[in-house]
Amino acid sequence: MRIYTLAKKLGIDSKELMEKLKELNFPVKSHMSSVDDDTAEIIRHEVEDLKRKEIERNVIEVDFPISVKDLAVKLGKKPSEILKVLMSKGKFVTINNALDEDTASGVAYFYKTTLKKKAKYEDKVFKTDSSKMIKRAPVVTLMGHIDHGKTSILDYIRRSKIADKETGGITQHIGAYRIESPKGGITFIDTPGHEAFTAMRARGANATDIVVLVVAADEGVKPQTVEAIDHAKATNAPIIVAINKIDKSNADIDMVKQGLSRYELVPEDWGGKTVVVGVSAKTGKGIDELLDMIILQAEIMELKASYEQPAVGVVIEARLSRGRGPVIAALVQQGVLKKGDVCVSNVFWGKIKALHNDRGKTVDKAYPSYPVEVIGLNGLPSPGDRIFVVPNEKKAKEIVSRRKEEEKVKTVSSAHVRLVDLHKKIEEDKLKQLKLILKADVGGTLEAVEESLRKFSSDEIKINFIHKGVGLINYSDVLLAEVSDAVIAGFKVNIEPQAKEYARKKGIEVRVYHIVYELINDVKSALEGLFEPQIKRIFVGRARVKEVFKLSKAGVIAGCAVEKGKIMRAKPCDLIRDNEIVTKSTITSLKRFKDDVREVGEGMECGIGIDYGDIKPGDYIDVFLEEKIERKL
Ligand code: GDP
């Protein structure tokens, strides 16, 4: 192999390669010199090693997103140079545009530099100092099928454990409430259900320590019970089962236990590990036992919090109140939240004017695992957002303005697993399992599809079905996919409009199939790295090559006349000779006289450079726009 061919393969200049070879004691005479395949392989290996070391040597710390201007300063380059690098990657931006981490790192890589993210204030406060931790109460969420009694149980506990002790018995709805049982405190999240639970997790915070799965004794395990189980499992939260409505004459506890056993929740009295308590929200039977079990579970978990660090909590609800402005219900997770603290949540901040507890009383402080209403922020964060204390207003403003910048450049597509880049991730060892949510029209098909897909699990990658179910792909499926980084595959089912919109916004892959073979084939080829999205090409123009110039620096430039449509830079093209495609390439340079231009219209002349040297007068260059389309059947 000739040195210049090898250099091209390695993506470096042949002169640079020769320099490197000297360093590596492989001197060669000229770039036309040849080396055998084995030597080429060794050289390739060594050069890549050298490149990597070089890049590792140059590390600079920056904040993301970073503007082109600031990146140029950091790299010691001119902004115009950075813009050129970006352009070569098909990105057209101005010097004031902000670049996200991936894009900026790509540019830095070009200059053999690694960008390291500067540690954010949040990274520091969200980390807890385990040496200073003391015990805290568990936070519990109730989940289960609709009408199985979640709200009734929450109401019963609230009424019986708070009302009888407090004057008037008035409790304020602030998204969570706390009870003190003889054995310890428990905080219940007041918005039951797995959707709210997972929606909160999707925003980054996990508020719940223990899940109480409510199953009605007369109905048993239902589809939403299964959903709830899978949502709880995805967070690794322990599950305690409350079999509710045991007062009913048609209650059938064994039937419920049987149903639970099918989902790996084998009751303790059946030889399993799951704590199951029979309760009635109507009569109150079993409720005390349920509370005891929660406390017991919490003790096993040794839940702790630090009281000394700056307070951090999670937003449970947020609403606008007339007269009081934004009212935020939060659960304190670490530290002690105090009146007068300056805090940040989402892109809002403020000095805390007042704090109210779940009994509607004004308080000065809120401790870990206590729900509290916060007044003083200048906007409404979303459930699941973190709320945290900062040292002063200046810091708050700084964090908020950085977050607003981040919001602007956020790209969704790279965040989640997609079939197209599955193989790459497996190879880079970033992925050990493909998480799938599988929905089908009927139970039989669901099992058959699952069975066929399981066969593809290998040493490299395991297919993990985090949820399977019959029926439409719904919002809850998409949320679960979001938090667990899963791909959703549906077989002969539709997707709910709200779920579709959310998936699109978050860049979560949802695929619907009508032929089993196609589904299996897609997963198989994704695992093998053969999966390509279908590309739609749209013809935009054709140019005829009139003359060819060989320039030493710029390579080969074709002097052309645009005969149809227009020619656009950085777009894919075909080189055509005698009605046959000679090569597929990209328009790398486009000039009108001496000026670089983005496009040239019909009837005009221009100079075109493509990634291919052998162009002849009389050839045609056809330019296309390419659009990736999801393969749907
Ligand atoms: P959720 O949808 O899970 O919150 O269920 P609800 O708490 O709204 O309860 C649904 C229905 O079941 C209501 O009509 C309740 O009165 C009834 N219910 C709840 N718990 C019990 C119970 O322990 N016994 C009986 N007999 N009915 C109950």
Side-chain angles (χ1 to χ4, degrees):
M1 188 184 295
R2 290 200 197 280
I3 291 299
Y4 71 80
T5 323
L6 184 60
K8 209 170 173 190
K9 270 195 167 172
L10 290 166
I12 57 175
D13 202 72
S14 43
K15 244 197 219 146
E16 199 184 333
L17 178 60
M18 283 165 56
E19 289 286 315
K20 285 204 157 70
L21 290 180
K22 232 192 254 165
E23 268 178 61
L24 294 166
N25 285 329
F26 268 117
V28 284
K29 280 206 186 79
S30 90
H31 67 283
M32 294 299 281
S33 308
S34 279
V35 288
D36 62 40
D37 282 357
D38 286 351
T39 317
E41 189 53 30
I42 295 171
I43 292 174
R44 188 187 64 76
H45 189 80
E46 292 284 333
V47 168
E48 274 177 3
D49 215 40
L50 213 61
K51 257 179 154 176
R52 214 187 48 240
K53 278 189 193 139
E54 232 170 299
I55 288 166
E56 280 167 5
R57 265 202 301 270
N58 299 327
V59 179
I60 49 175
E61 276 200 349
V62 296
D63 271 329
F64 295 111
I66 182 165
S67 71
V68 172
K69 215 162 53 189
D70 293 345
L71 182 63
V73 173
K74 289 271 181 192
L75 292 169
K77 305 282 164 197
K78 285 194 196 128
S80 59
E81 286 180 62
I82 308 284
L83 290 177
K84 253 191 213 153
V85 177
L86 285 164
M87 238 185 260
S88 71
K89 293 172 187 289
K91 289 205 163 78
F92 298 95
V93 295
T94 69
I95 65 167
N96 290 316
N97 274 125
L99 307 175
D100 63 15
E101 187 173 351
D102 275 357
T103 314
S105 298
V107 174
Y109 186 84
F110 184 83
Y111 294 111
K112 304 189 177 68
T113 305
T114 306
L115 300 183
K116 207 174 126 202
K117 207 194 246 167
K118 249 195 215 158
K120 289 183 199 166
Y121 176 81
E122 293 93 306
D123 298 335
K124 280 180 248 161
V125 274
F126 294 168
K127 235 190 252 161
T128 46
D129 178 359
S130 55
S131 64
K132 292 182 186 150
M133 305 244 264
I134 47 179
K135 197 177 155 188
R136 67 169 176 87
V139 180
V140 177
T141 296
L142 267 65
M143 297 191 200
H145 198 73
I146 185 158
D147 279 348
H148 280 198
K150 300 176 291 290
T151 318
S152 306
I153 294 175
L154 279 169
D155 284 347
Y156 182 88
I157 296 172
R158 178 168 18 207
R159 257 188 294 122
S160 60
K161 301 295 166 196
I162 300 174
D164 57 356
K165 293 195 195 81
E166 314 250 335
T167 42
I170 304 160
T171 56
Q172 198 83 2
H173 173 83
I174 66 163
Y177 66 82
R178 163 139 179 155
I179 61 147
E180 301 298 334
S181 85
K183 290 176 186 151
I186 304 175
T187 299
F188 286 95
I189 301 240
D190 211 356
T191 4
H194 53 271
E195 279 185 15
F197 168 82
T198 302
M200 279 175 74
R201 276 199 62 218
R203 302 195 67 85
N206 192 10
T208 302
D209 300 308
I210 299 169
V211 168
V212 170
L213 182 72
V214 179
V215 191
D218 53 345
E219 293 199 349
V221 173
K222 290 282 185 185
Q224 282 170 27
T225 319
V226 180
E227 278 182 18
I229 294 171
D230 289 336
H231 281 244
K233 278 189 182 160
T235 67
N236 290 324
I239 301 173
I240 294 176
V241 179
I243 301 183
N244 189 32
K245 309 195 189 183
I246 52 166
D247 57 281
K248 281 187 135 182
S249 58
N250 58 344
D252 186 348
I253 291 177
D254 276 351
M255 176 268 295
V256 180
K257 287 185 174 172
Q258 215 154 35
L260 290 168
S261 303
R262 263 186 260 131
Y263 297 93
E264 295 165 30
L265 294 176
V266 184
E268 280 181 322
D269 56 346
W270 282 26
K273 287 192 180 131
T274 307
V275 176
V276 178
V277 188
V279 300
S280 166
K282 200 172 167 189
T283 66
K285 195 169 174 226
I287 297 289
D288 281 338
E289 195 192 336
L290 175 66
L291 299 179
D292 284 351
M293 287 302 158
I294 292 171
I295 297 281
L296 204 65
Q297 177 62 46
E299 270 163 18
I300 296 170
M301 293 166 85
E302 294 185 25
L303 300 168
K304 284 182 178 163
S306 151
Y307 281 55
E308 286 177 29
Q309 68 162 84
V312 178
V314 54
V315 174
I316 307 169
E317 286 179 9
R319 66 192 161 86
L320 207 56
S321 148
R322 244 201 228 169
R324 296 198 295 170
V327 176
I328 289 127
L331 180 78
V332 180
Q333 294 183 302
Q334 298 289 339
V336 181
L337 192 65
K338 298 182 214 69
K339 190 182 161 187
D341 279 347
V342 178
C343 55
V344 172
S345 184
N346 199 317
V347 292
F348 310 107
W349 72 278
K351 189 168 177 164
I352 300 180
K353 285 190 211 132
L355 291 171
H356 304 288
N357 69 8
D358 55 342
R359 326 290 209 253
K361 283 202 186 115
T362 305
V363 290
D364 286 336
K365 292 175 191 168
Y367 295 98
S369 288
Y370 276 84
V372 68
E373 208 173 61
V374 182
I375 293 165
L377 248 68
N378 64 354
L380 291 178
S382 308
D385 280 334
R386 302 269 202 155
I387 177 165
F388 54 96
V389 172
V390 296
N392 49 45
E393 297 192 355
K394 185 171 163 249
K395 190 79 198 168
K397 284 183 193 162
E398 184 190 308
I399 294 171
V400 164
S401 83
R402 187 201 69 220
R403 288 184 159 199
K404 282 185 179 158
E405 273 303 312
E406 279 170 357
E407 201 103 295
K408 271 193 238 156
V409 294
K410 210 174 250 174
T411 47
V412 290
S413 53
S414 58
H416 292 281
V417 172
R418 300 182 69 81
L419 289 187
V420 191
D421 52 28
L422 192 64
H423 192 66
K424 208 171 105 216
K425 287 200 173 164
I426 300 170
E427 282 200 328
E428 288 169 1
D429 226 10
K430 281 189 186 148
L431 202 72
K432 296 256 194 283
Q433 54 173 337
L434 167 61
K435 291 181 182 167
L436 261 188
I437 292 178
L438 189 62
K439 296 293 284 267
D441 55 343
V442 288
T445 339
L446 188 70
E447 277 160 33
V449 174
E450 184 194 343
E451 200 49 42
S452 319
L453 288 175
R454 274 204 193 281
K455 289 190 193 125
F456 298 128
S457 284
S458 66
D459 295 343
E460 280 183 339
I461 191 155
K462 198 176 140 242
I463 299 185
N464 181 359
F465 294 88
I466 59 164
H467 178 61
K468 297 164 291 186
V470 171
L472 286 178
I473 297 169
N474 58 28
Y475 180 54
S476 139
D477 296 327
V478 179
L479 278 174
L480 187 59
E482 184 186 3
V483 293
S484 29
D485 222 355
V487 171
I488 304 178
F491 181 68
K492 284 195 182 159
V493 289
N494 267 324
I495 171 163
E496 280 178 2
Q498 183 205 11
K500 190 172 185 170
E501 178 54 28
Y502 190 76
R504 193 191 56 76
K505 228 168 69 192
K506 297 288 178 175
I508 291 152
E509 187 156 37
V510 180
R511 301 181 156 265
V512 176
Y513 299 87
H514 293 272
I515 301 169
V516 178
Y517 167 77
E518 298 277 0
L519 194 171
I520 292 167
N521 210 32
D522 270 7
V523 172
K524 185 168 173 253
S525 45
L527 291 173
E528 289 166 353
L530 305 171
F531 189 90
E532 296 283 340
Q534 225 169 38
I535 299 208
K536 197 163 94 185
R537 290 185 114 198
I538 306 156
F539 175 82
V540 284
R542 159 171 280 201
R544 186 168 51 85
V545 179
K546 292 168 70 179
E547 277 174 275
V548 177
F549 309 96
K550 290 207 167 68
L551 308 176
S552 60
K553 254 192 184 170
V556 175
I557 296 294
C560 302
V562 183
E563 294 199 335
K564 224 186 262 174
K566 59 183 177 186
I567 303 300
M568 294 166 82
R569 191 174 41 172
K571 298 295 175 209
C573 64
D574 287 352
L575 180 69
I576 297 168
R577 187 174 304 155
D578 304 328
N579 288 323
E580 281 192 28
I581 298 174
V582 181
T583 184
K584 287 184 177 297
S585 183
T586 308
I587 308 278
T588 48
S589 83
L590 185 61
K591 278 185 195 287
R592 272 284 289 161
F593 304 106
K594 287 229 152 17
D595 299 328
D596 281 321
V597 288
R598 264 189 210 187
E599 50 180 72
V600 178
E602 198 169 307
M604 309 243 235
E605 306 224 320
C606 58
I608 299 178
I610 65 174
D611 241 350
Y612 186 74
D614 181 27
I615 309 177
K616 295 205 167 105
D619 289 351
Y620 286 99
I621 296 173
D622 283 358
V623 180
F624 301 89
L625 287 180
E626 281 184 352
E627 201 178 296
K628 277 185 192 170
I629 46 172
E630 296 295 327
R631 291 200 295 189
K632 274 204 190 106
L633 299 156

